[in-house]
């Protein structure tokens, strides 16, 4: 009976080790002391670093620190110590140096446990290098788009038509109204209606009350120092927030063009009068 129990325990232990070694992440039991050595590591951990068990033990005496990227060692120690003192749960990203000299980003997740002699950390370690590379690629693309967004000719805003509040805007919009972002917020609470010339409020009211999804309108805004600017606005409904319609609007300064059109219109009005006087 006792022999069968011992055999079953040995088989169970063997099965657990097979399972742990087939995992696609590292499994570690870390003795968290001044050296941060590990008492156990599965096959994935050694495959990740490019060493055999024997090589790693002989070269580093199962010390994790020599394979942590030099710039990350102090941050790693500080972050892990802080997390251990707060909750006992660990989650930290850092870089490791492989045998071939290449660098990989890894994520360490773990929990502290206490033995009779010291504190242990039961941890998993995952290679997140691809995720980090993707993150940096997306961040670079976002930076490019952000640069284009803020330097494009004209203004771009998201406008809530319920209260005519600008929910986001590029730098071009603030150039058009001649107010800084902070000034527009503190003086007008980001409300576009407060800048519209009183003679054009009817156009704005029609825009607000319309059920159509696309609008084009030209109206005047009164900027800083009472400077009047004619704006052409192309607005497309893109959704709603809490039931409030949101429009994406592009705005262009058409002051010079509008002035030319008005001048021609006035000239055409005057011309018949001049002909009448000439023929009198």
């Amino acid at each position: 009976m006792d022999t069968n129990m011992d055999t079953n325990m040995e088989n169970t232990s063997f099965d657990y080790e097979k399972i742990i070694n087939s995992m696609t992440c590292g499994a570690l039991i870390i003795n968290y002391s001044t050296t941060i050595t590990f008492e156990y590591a599965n096959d994935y951990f050694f495959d990740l670093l490019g060493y055999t068990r024997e090589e790693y033990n002989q070269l580093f005496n199962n010390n994790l620190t020599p394979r942590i990227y030099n710039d990350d060692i102090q941050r790693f120690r500080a972050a892990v110590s802080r997390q251990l003192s707060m909750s006992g749960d660990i989650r930290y990203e850092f870089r490791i140096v492989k045998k071939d000299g290449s660098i990989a980003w890894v994520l360490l997740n773990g929990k502290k446990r206490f033995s009779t002699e010291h504190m242990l950390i039961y941890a998993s370690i995952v290679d997140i290098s691809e995720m980090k590379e993707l993150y940096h690629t997306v961040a670079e693309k976002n930076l490019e788009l952000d640069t284009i967004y803020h330097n494009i000719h004209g203004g771009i805003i998201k406008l809530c038509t319920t209260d005519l509040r600008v929910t986001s805007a590029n730098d071009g919009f603030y150039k058009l109204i001649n107010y800084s972002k902070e000034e527009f917020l503190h003086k007008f609470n980001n409300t576009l209606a407060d800048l519209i010339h009183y003679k054009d409020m009817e156009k704005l009211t029609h825009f607000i009350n319309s059920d159509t999804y696309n609008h084009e309108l030209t109206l005047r805004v009164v900027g800083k120092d009472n400077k009047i600017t004619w704006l052409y606005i192309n607005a497309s409904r893109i959704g709603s927030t809490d039931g409030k319609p949101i429009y994406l609007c592009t705005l262009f300064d058409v002051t010079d063009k509008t002035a030319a059109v008005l001048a021609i219109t006035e000239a055409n009005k005057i011309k018949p009068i001049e002909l009448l006087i000439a023929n009198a």
Side-chain angles (χ1 to χ4, degrees):
M1 184 71 175
D2 291 339
T3 304
N4 289 336
M5 285 183 65
D6 290 342
T7 303
N8 288 336
M9 288 179 68
E10 287 177 5
N11 289 337
T12 302
S13 177
F14 177 71
D15 288 341
Y16 279 141
E17 189 169 1
K18 282 180 63 178
I19 292 169
I20 292 171
N21 281 323
S22 66
M23 292 168 59
T24 54
C25 69
L28 300 168
I29 301 175
I30 301 170
N31 180 350
Y32 193 72
S33 60
T34 54
T35 56
I36 313 183
T37 56
F38 54 84
E39 297 186 359
Y40 172 82
N42 69 344
D43 291 345
Y44 178 96
F45 173 78
F46 296 105
D47 291 340
L48 175 62
L49 287 166
Y51 293 95
T52 64
R53 290 177 182 271
E54 294 73 21
E55 280 180 318
Y56 199 93
N57 186 29
Q58 183 178 359
L59 290 170
F60 309 113
N61 196 27
N62 288 347
N63 187 345
L64 185 62
T65 309
R67 293 292 86 195
I68 299 176
Y69 187 69
N70 192 55
D71 290 350
D72 293 348
I73 293 174
Q74 293 303 319
R75 287 193 289 267
F76 174 83
R77 286 181 176 276
V80 170
S81 295
R82 183 175 64 255
Q83 292 179 30
L84 286 172
S85 66
M86 292 175 63
S87 65
D89 294 333
I90 300 165
R91 181 181 176 86
Y92 191 69
E93 298 175 5
F94 60 100
R95 289 165 289 184
I96 57 171
V97 183
K98 297 183 179 183
K99 183 179 179 180
D100 62 7
S102 62
I103 294 170
W105 276 95
V106 294
L107 171 64
L108 182 77
N109 275 301
K111 288 182 177 291
K112 69 178 177 182
R113 295 287 185 270
F114 290 97
S115 69
T116 54
E117 299 177 1
H118 41 244
M119 181 173 64
L120 300 176
I121 300 172
Y122 286 74
S124 66
I125 190 167
V126 182
D127 186 349
I128 57 170
S129 302
E130 289 187 6
M131 185 187 75
K132 278 287 187 180
E133 185 177 346
L134 178 61
Y135 171 81
H136 287 302
T137 300
V138 171
E140 288 176 1
K141 292 297 181 185
N142 284 342
L143 180 60
E144 290 176 9
L145 291 172
D146 191 59
T147 302
I148 294 170
Y149 172 69
H150 285 293
N151 289 280
I152 198 168
H153 178 68
I156 301 174
I157 63 172
K158 284 183 181 179
L159 182 68
C160 175
T161 54
T162 304
D163 53 13
L164 288 172
R165 192 161 276 123
V166 175
T167 59
S168 69
N170 71 339
D171 291 347
F173 169 73
Y174 298 108
K175 290 177 183 176
L176 287 174
I177 64 174
N178 202 26
Y179 284 104
S180 69
K181 184 176 182 178
E182 292 73 21
E183 287 174 328
F184 185 56
L185 170 62
H186 295 304
K187 190 169 183 177
F188 303 104
N189 196 25
N190 288 338
T191 304
L192 183 64
D194 291 343
L195 296 178
I196 303 302
H197 194 281
Y198 72 95
K199 290 184 177 179
D200 293 332
M201 287 304 296
E202 188 176 339
K203 292 182 183 178
L204 197 62
T205 303
H206 176 73
F207 166 48
I208 296 169
N209 295 330
S210 175
D211 291 330
T212 57
Y213 275 64
N214 297 294
H215 297 270
E216 292 183 29
L217 62 158
T218 303
L219 45 72
R220 287 161 286 189
V221 295
V222 183
K224 190 183 288 187
D225 301 325
N226 292 321
K227 178 186 176 184
I228 295 176
T229 304
W230 280 91
L231 295 181
Y232 165 76
I233 302 175
N234 188 303
S236 299
R237 185 168 174 173
I238 58 172
S240 61
T241 303
D242 298 328
K244 301 175 181 179
I246 301 293
Y247 282 81
L248 180 64
C249 306
T250 54
L251 304 88
F252 298 97
D253 185 346
V254 291
T255 304
D256 293 341
K257 179 181 177 181
T258 305
V261 171
L262 290 173
I264 292 170
T265 303
E266 289 300 317
N268 287 335
K269 288 179 182 177
I270 294 170
K271 197 168 184 179
I273 297 173
E274 290 176 340
L275 287 173
L276 286 172
I277 293 172
N279 295 326

